[in-house]
Each structure stands twice: as C-alpha cells, then as structure tokens.
Amino acid sequence: MTFLINIFFWLLSGLLKYQSSTEQSPPPSSPPFPCPNCGSHHTIKNGSIHNGKPKRQCKECGRQFVINPTNKTVSDETKQLIDKLLLERISLRGIARVTGVSWSWLQNYVNNKLAAVPRQIKVSDKPKGKLVIECDEMWSFVFSKTIKVYIWLAIDRNTREIIGCYLGDRSRQSAKKLWASLPGVYRQCAVAYTDFWESYKTVIPSKRHRPVGKETGQTNHIERLNNTFRQRISRLVRESLSFSKKMENHVGAVWYFIHDYNAQLAKD
C-alpha cells in the first residue's frame, strides 16, 4: 500500500513540474516581418501572389509586400526579343510564355513602348514629279466587334513605302486626316488610286483622283498590304482572342509595325 502511495505522489509531482515549466516558457512568437516602407512590425497576412509566395500588408502605411522576394531583372536581350515578337502574329500571353517574363511586367512594358511610338511617318525625300499612290481603308475593332476602327493607309506604288496612316471611323473626316498625314510633295503632285468610297471624292483633288474597281489591278499593292497587316499583327485577325482592349494600344501597335515595315524597305 505504501508503495502505491509513493508512486501516486511521484506522478503528481512530475505533473506539477511539467505544468509549471509550460506556464513559465513564453509562447513562440511569430517571425518579424517589418514593412520595407516604414519599418513597422505591425503587419498582417494578406494572401499570396501568382506564384504562391505569401504576401503581407502593413497596418501603419498600407504597403503590401512579399516575404523573401526574388525579383528577376529582365535582361536587355529578352527585351530585344520581345520587341521582335511584337512584330509577329503572336499574342501577349504567348510572348510571356516564350520569354518567361511575368504577364503583369509584359503588359506594362508593352503599354509604355506603344505609347512612345511616334504617330507620324518618316519617308525618304521625293523630288516633285510624277508620283503614284494607292489608298484604302481596313476594318478592325477594339474591345468588341461593335466598336469598329478603320485603318486608313496610303502607299507609294513605286517604293511600296507606307506614306500615310490614320485610325478612326469611315467618315469624310477620317479621309481628310489620312490626306493630311501625307508628306506635302504627295499632296501636291501624286495621282491617287482608290476604291469608290465617297469620302475620297470629297478630299482628294478631282484632277488627280482615280477611283477604280479591284478588277483593274490599280490597287493591288495596297490590298496586298492589308493582308500583310492581318498576317503580322495579331490584333487585326478577325477571328482572334488577341484583339486590343484599349484604343491607345491598338493605335500604337499599328504605328509600331508601320515604322518597322518602312525601315525594312529602306534596308532592301
């Protein structure tokens, strides 16, 4: 009996010692995650980013930040590759997959690049004389097919250079904008071949305007250029998921291609 009582008291003393040590040891504290903006340790969990890394938010200044970030700098070689891929019929999602850059970074890069593209064409100097141009308009859309945007183009028949461009509706005002975009020597001297769209008649001087049908072959070069645009610029493919959602990017993408197209002609 005494033996059992001794065992009982031994077990009881061990239990009391365990509870005492548990109460004295402080609870494990969460690792500090100071705010990189203000240095405050008053931060809370705030979900995660696209790759699963945890994200926190500072309760003092509102800054959101990633724990142990591994920022990847995009090299100049990758940017040059992206610049070339923008001239091919490949979507931005496809470019992100090919180059390995993040979608958000690529979208910001493309937005800034297209916004900086000049909206005016530089063509080689032409002497006054017999110049022949071809003009046409091509249908496209932004955001939805109900929002139609026409790309008005003019090319020099001899050099194949794109010498004028305007993006807008299909009205007389847009035809005037196309005509105004031409270098002065073309507005003064060139003979212009177009289709029978009425807007051309009210803008191009009648003595130098030649409205013709497709069967004549007089607008073959500009019609072929329209096909090139649709083959090279993914935003212009009619049945496509790569259409523009912003008018600014739509205009910038067209002008970006035009400058490269003329530059390639100058090399040949």
Side-chain angles (χ1 to χ4, degrees):
M1 187 68 175
T2 305
F3 176 75
L4 293 176
I5 294 174
N6 291 335
I7 292 177
F8 173 76
F9 280 107
W10 179 77
L11 293 173
L12 181 61
S13 62
L15 179 61
L16 292 174
K17 289 180 180 179
Y18 175 77
Q19 290 179 346
S20 176
S21 63
T22 305
E23 291 175 356
Q24 291 177 0
S25 61
S29 60
S30 58
F33 297 112
C35 173
N37 186 44
C38 66
S40 172
H41 286 263
H42 191 192
T43 63
I44 59 173
K45 293 180 179 179
N46 191 34
S48 60
I49 60 175
H50 65 282
N51 59 6
K53 283 199 169 188
K55 186 172 60 172
R56 298 185 73 85
Q57 183 177 24
C58 177
K59 297 296 289 183
E60 299 294 335
C61 66
R63 167 73 181 271
Q64 299 184 51
F65 61 95
V66 177
I67 302 171
N68 298 325
T70 55
N71 293 333
K72 181 181 177 182
T73 303
V74 179
S75 65
D76 292 338
E77 291 77 9
T78 301
K79 292 180 181 179
Q80 292 173 6
L81 176 59
I82 292 173
D83 294 345
K84 293 180 180 179
L85 292 176
L86 289 174
L87 298 167
E88 303 297 334
R89 194 170 72 173
I90 179 172
S91 66
L92 293 186
R93 293 285 183 181
I95 294 176
R97 289 191 295 270
V98 170
T99 58
V101 300
S102 69
W103 162 247
S104 58
W105 180 91
L106 179 62
Q107 186 66 70
N108 290 332
Y109 177 79
V110 172
N111 289 349
N112 294 332
K113 187 171 189 65
L114 296 183
V117 174
R119 267 58 168 177
Q120 187 175 4
I121 296 176
K122 294 182 180 180
V123 298
S124 56
D125 294 334
K126 302 293 190 306
K128 289 186 177 180
K130 186 177 181 181
L131 297 171
V132 179
I133 65 174
E134 300 175 19
C135 305
D136 196 20
E137 68 285 349
M138 175 173 55
W139 173 83
S140 64
F141 68 94
V142 175
F143 194 76
S144 74
K145 291 189 176 181
T146 59
I147 307 177
K148 295 183 178 180
V149 178
Y150 284 88
I151 304 172
W152 296 72
L153 295 170
I155 65 170
D156 185 309
R157 177 180 289 181
N158 296 323
T159 64
R160 305 291 194 273
E161 284 180 296
I162 300 174
I163 59 171
C165 176
Y166 179 73
L167 281 79
D169 55 17
R170 213 182 180 196
S171 65
R172 177 177 178 272
Q173 292 300 320
S174 294
K176 289 179 65 175
K177 294 287 186 178
L178 172 67
W179 187 251
S181 71
L182 303 181
V185 65
Y186 288 97
R187 294 197 303 269
Q188 296 171 10
C189 306
V191 174
Y193 287 88
T194 72
D195 55 22
F196 291 102
W197 185 243
E198 290 294 328
S199 298
Y200 291 115
K201 295 181 181 180
T202 59
V203 173
I204 303 175
S206 58
K207 292 183 179 180
R208 291 186 283 118
H209 184 209
R210 305 289 187 270
V212 295
K214 292 183 179 180
E215 69 281 357
T216 64
Q218 297 293 342
T219 57
N220 279 357
H221 302 100
I222 190 70
E223 295 285 352
R224 178 62 183 84
L225 180 63
N226 290 343
N227 292 334
T228 299
F229 267 64
R230 295 199 187 278
Q231 286 294 321
R232 297 285 301 280
I233 306 176
S234 60
R235 299 168 187 265
L236 304 184
V237 180
R238 290 172 178 171
E239 300 294 335
S240 173
L241 295 176
S242 303
F243 59 87
S244 299
K245 296 182 180 179
K246 295 173 59 178
M247 185 63 181
E248 294 82 359
N249 285 358
H250 191 75
V251 174
V254 171
W255 278 101
Y256 183 62
F257 179 80
I258 287 174
H259 290 302
D260 181 77
Y261 182 86
N262 281 351
Q264 295 301 322
L265 286 178
K267 294 178 181 178
D268 296 342

